């Protein structure tokens, strides 16, 4: 039977339980739901609990009598199942707390619809997975179905009747209405975003057509006009790019700063803006924008390395060293970071730490002349470290000219 795929056995004890009624054709869709309920600590009975040789109707009837809640999954398949219909009527006749989950938009027979009632229904087909989980959890909790804590050996009592069932049904309807309303609002928002993106794509395409004709000023004009009606990240990004093509670097910077002030930017735009100020040696502004970029989720090693360079340019060796180290955490084979970090440490008087950094760099980037050259220079300053420097030069497997230059340096 398909029920053998279940990771847990149907509950057969005397403690309060939930009876699950469903059509076997719906098993693949139903099983994850009852598995979640089982993992939350609910006792679940489903027809996988019937022992071979037992009378099917008798054991189902016993499970129904014992259950504290009847949970039925309604679908095209289940309303065509005589077993499911019989279980529904039996549960209603026994006055069992009742909860129906509509898996699809199935038209119920009038008699069945009348007996089930709308207040005891969850319209799963109208909800996404998260909303459904929230609604069914609330439905069970609101009916005072106290669950057994997972891992707790003592079963807690579960009430056999819901308190204030009418109010419970109304609350369930309200909750579903709120969840469905949220989904509709989300769909509306997505449609609006799609519509806006179509407009954005059209504007950018017009600008690219002008770019293909090398009319960069017209491309700038198209984007500036578009920004009058809506601020958009892609507009600002392209505008900065076309100002660059116009050789107007001030215009490019202004476009990026407008994007930042309107919060229509991403990491790449922040990095570019900061890097432009770094190139202009306007270090205070470069540092400010690099620090903003550091907090972006899609940052990479470059922002730490460039921020280190900006700090080093203003003489802030401590912050420079911290950021060079940050770049190496993200890119352990970044040669310039090893060189600059070692130089900063040496300048601050921590030559031993600088040597350790260069040794790490040499292990990550073996046989690199720049690392070995600086490492030999630092080792040679301490007479006790000269043998180590000589060994480093001897094992250097680079060009003969460079190896000779290193040897001459040590001989001086």
């Amino acid at each position: 039977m398909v029920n053998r795929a279940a990771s847990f056995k149907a509950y057969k004890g005397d403690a309060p339980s939930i009876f699950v009624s469903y059509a076997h054709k719906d098993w693949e869709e139903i099983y994850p739901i009852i598995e979640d309920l089982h993992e939350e600590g609910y006792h679940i009975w489903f027809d996988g609990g019937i022992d071979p040789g037992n009378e099917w109707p008798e054991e189902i009837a016993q499970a129904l009598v014992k259950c504290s809640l009847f949970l039925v999954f309604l679908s095209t398949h289940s309303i065509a199942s005589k077993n499911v219909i019989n279980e529904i009527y039996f549960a209603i006749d026994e006055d069992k707390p009742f909860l129906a989950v509509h898996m699809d938009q199935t038209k119920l027979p009038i008699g069945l619809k009348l007996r089930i009632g709308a207040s005891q229904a969850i319209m799963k087909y109208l909800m996404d997975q998260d909303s459904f989980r929230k609604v069914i959890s609330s439905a069970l909790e609101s009916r005072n179905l106290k669950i057994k804590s997972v891992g707790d050996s003592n079963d807690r009592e579960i009430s056999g009747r819901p308190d204030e069932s009418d109010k419970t049904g109304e609350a369930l309807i309200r909750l579903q209405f709120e969840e469905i309303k949220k989904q509709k609002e989300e769909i509306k928002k997505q449609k609006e975003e799609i519509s806006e993106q179509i407009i954005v794509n059209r504007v950018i395409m017009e600008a690219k057509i002008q770019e293909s004709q090398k009319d960069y000023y017209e491309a700038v004009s198209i984007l500036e006009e578009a920004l009058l009606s809506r601020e958009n990240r892609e507009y600002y990004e392209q505008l900065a790019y076309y100002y660059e093509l116009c050789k107007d670097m001030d215009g490019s910077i202004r476009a990026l700063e407008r994007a930042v002030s309107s919060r229509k930017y991403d990491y790449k735009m922040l990095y570019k803006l900061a890097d432009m100020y770094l190139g202009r040696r306007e270090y205070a502004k470069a540092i400010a924008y690099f620090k903003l970029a550091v907090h972006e989720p899609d940052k990479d090693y470059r922002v730490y390395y460039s921020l280190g360079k900006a700090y080093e340019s203003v003489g802030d060796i401590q912050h420079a060293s911290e950021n060079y180290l940050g770049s190496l955490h993200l890119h352990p084979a970044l040669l310039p970071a090893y060189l600059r970090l070692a130089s900063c440490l040496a300048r601050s008087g921590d030559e031993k730490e600088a040597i350790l950094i260069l040794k790490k760099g040499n292990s990550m980037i073996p046989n690199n002349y720049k690392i070995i050259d600086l490492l030999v220079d630092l080792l040679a300053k301490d007479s006790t470290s000269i043998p180590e420097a000589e060994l480093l030069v001897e094992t250097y497997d680079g060009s003969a000219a460079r190896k000779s230059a290193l040897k001459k340096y040590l001989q001086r």
Side-chain angles (χ1 to χ4, degrees):
M1 290 179 65
V2 70
N3 292 12
R4 292 178 183 174
S7 64
F8 67 96
K9 293 182 179 180
Y11 183 70
K12 296 202 283 184
D14 293 327
S17 61
I18 298 174
F19 182 104
V20 176
S21 178
Y22 67 99
H24 283 185
K25 290 182 179 179
D26 296 327
W27 173 255
E28 292 301 322
E29 190 175 2
I30 301 301
Y31 175 66
I33 300 171
I34 65 173
E35 185 181 40
D36 284 346
L37 296 178
H38 170 73
E39 289 177 356
E40 288 178 21
Y42 290 96
H43 290 313
I44 305 294
W45 190 97
F46 58 103
D47 61 14
I50 296 179
D51 293 326
N54 283 13
E55 288 294 330
W56 185 290
E58 179 62 25
E59 188 158 347
I60 287 180
Q62 289 178 7
L64 275 165
V65 170
K66 287 182 179 180
C67 79
S68 301
L69 174 71
F70 179 79
L71 175 61
V72 60
F73 291 91
L74 295 174
S75 68
T76 305
H77 296 134
S78 63
I79 65 168
S81 167
K82 291 181 179 180
N83 288 332
V84 173
I85 298 299
N86 288 338
E87 289 162 8
I88 290 172
Y89 286 144
F90 190 98
I92 293 172
D93 290 340
E94 289 292 312
D95 197 24
K96 291 293 178 180
F98 192 103
L99 184 61
V101 176
H102 292 250
M103 304 300 291
D104 53 37
Q105 194 171 6
T106 304
K107 186 175 182 180
L108 301 180
I110 294 176
L112 183 60
K113 184 176 181 180
L114 181 64
R115 297 201 69 179
I116 289 177
S119 65
Q120 300 171 350
I122 295 177
M123 305 302 173
K124 182 182 184 301
Y125 66 92
L126 293 176
M127 306 176 204
D128 58 28
Q129 194 64 22
D130 289 339
S131 294
F132 170 69
R133 285 175 179 169
K134 181 177 178 181
V135 170
I136 194 169
S137 293
S138 176
L140 294 176
E141 290 170 8
S142 67
R143 291 168 177 270
N144 291 329
L145 285 171
K146 297 179 181 178
I147 69 174
K148 175 173 72 75
S149 298
V150 177
D152 186 356
S153 61
N154 297 320
D155 290 343
R156 300 177 186 174
E157 292 185 358
I158 305 181
S159 61
R161 293 286 186 275
D163 292 340
E164 299 179 314
S165 58
D166 289 343
K167 291 182 179 179
T168 298
E170 291 173 5
L172 183 57
I173 291 173
R174 284 198 301 272
L175 180 59
Q176 290 185 81
F177 176 77
E178 290 169 4
E179 290 298 322
I180 293 168
K181 183 180 178 182
K182 286 179 185 177
Q183 285 185 224
K184 287 183 177 179
E185 289 173 353
E186 184 63 28
I187 291 170
K188 181 182 177 183
K189 181 180 177 182
Q190 290 174 359
K191 287 181 178 179
E192 290 173 351
E193 289 173 353
I194 291 170
S195 298
E196 181 176 348
Q197 191 59 50
I198 290 171
I199 295 170
V200 170
N201 291 344
R202 187 182 299 128
V203 170
I204 289 176
M205 182 58 67
E206 289 175 7
K208 286 186 179 296
I209 290 171
Q210 300 305 315
E211 178 188 354
S212 68
Q213 298 171 0
K214 298 189 183 303
D215 193 347
Y216 307 130
Y217 290 100
E218 183 60 26
V220 166
S221 178
I222 289 170
L223 289 164
E224 289 284 16
E225 184 177 350
L227 281 165
L228 292 175
S229 58
R230 65 163 51 80
E231 290 185 309
N232 179 275
R233 180 192 61 78
E234 293 178 72
Y235 288 165
Y236 283 120
E237 186 176 22
Q238 290 297 312
L239 182 61
Y241 167 68
Y242 288 124
Y243 270 123
E244 278 193 75
L245 293 180
C246 292
K247 309 298 183 186
D248 185 353
M249 303 311 290
D250 288 336
S252 183
I253 286 176
R254 284 196 304 272
L256 292 171
E257 286 186 325
R258 285 160 60 191
V260 173
S261 64
S262 63
R263 299 184 181 278
K264 301 292 183 180
Y265 62 87
D266 60 13
Y267 163 73
K268 290 188 296 183
M269 295 168 71
L270 273 176
Y271 180 83
K272 183 175 181 61
L273 178 57
D275 197 51
M276 292 176 78
Y277 274 123
L278 182 61
R280 290 185 166 200
R281 299 184 180 181
E282 295 185 44
Y283 300 121
K285 289 184 177 180
I287 288 170
Y289 287 120
F290 277 135
K291 286 172 72 176
L292 272 179
V294 162
H295 296 293
E296 289 297 301
D298 53 349
K299 61 182 177 291
D300 59 26
Y301 71 91
R302 295 177 303 160
V303 67
Y304 288 103
Y305 178 72
S306 298
L307 183 53
K309 286 173 62 178
Y311 274 124
E312 187 178 0
S313 298
V314 296
D316 189 340
I317 302 304
Q318 180 181 345
H319 283 103
S321 299
E322 290 172 357
N323 282 281
Y324 289 141
L325 192 59
S327 70
L328 287 172
H329 284 315
L330 296 175
H331 190 341
L334 185 60
L335 172 63
Y338 283 111
L339 300 175
R340 284 184 173 272
L341 176 56
S343 296
C344 284
L345 291 169
R347 285 168 61 187
S348 63
D350 197 350
E351 292 185 349
K352 288 186 178 179
E353 188 65 27
I355 289 171
L356 290 175
I357 288 294
L358 289 170
K359 286 181 177 179
K360 174 68 174 176
N362 193 38
S363 68
M364 296 300 299
I365 316 167
N367 217 43
N368 182 271
Y369 177 76
K370 290 183 178 180
I371 289 179
I372 291 174
D373 183 40
L374 184 53
L375 184 52
V376 167
D377 182 55
L378 290 172
L379 288 169
K381 291 180 180 180
D382 183 354
S383 58
T384 61
S385 299
I386 289 179
E388 184 181 355
E390 290 174 339
L391 179 62
L392 189 65
V393 172
E394 194 61 36
T395 56
Y396 173 63
D397 190 23
S399 70
R402 286 180 172 179
K403 188 169 186 175
S404 176
L406 289 170
K407 284 183 176 180
K408 287 179 180 179
Y409 175 78
L410 284 174
Q411 290 169 358
R412 283 185 294 171

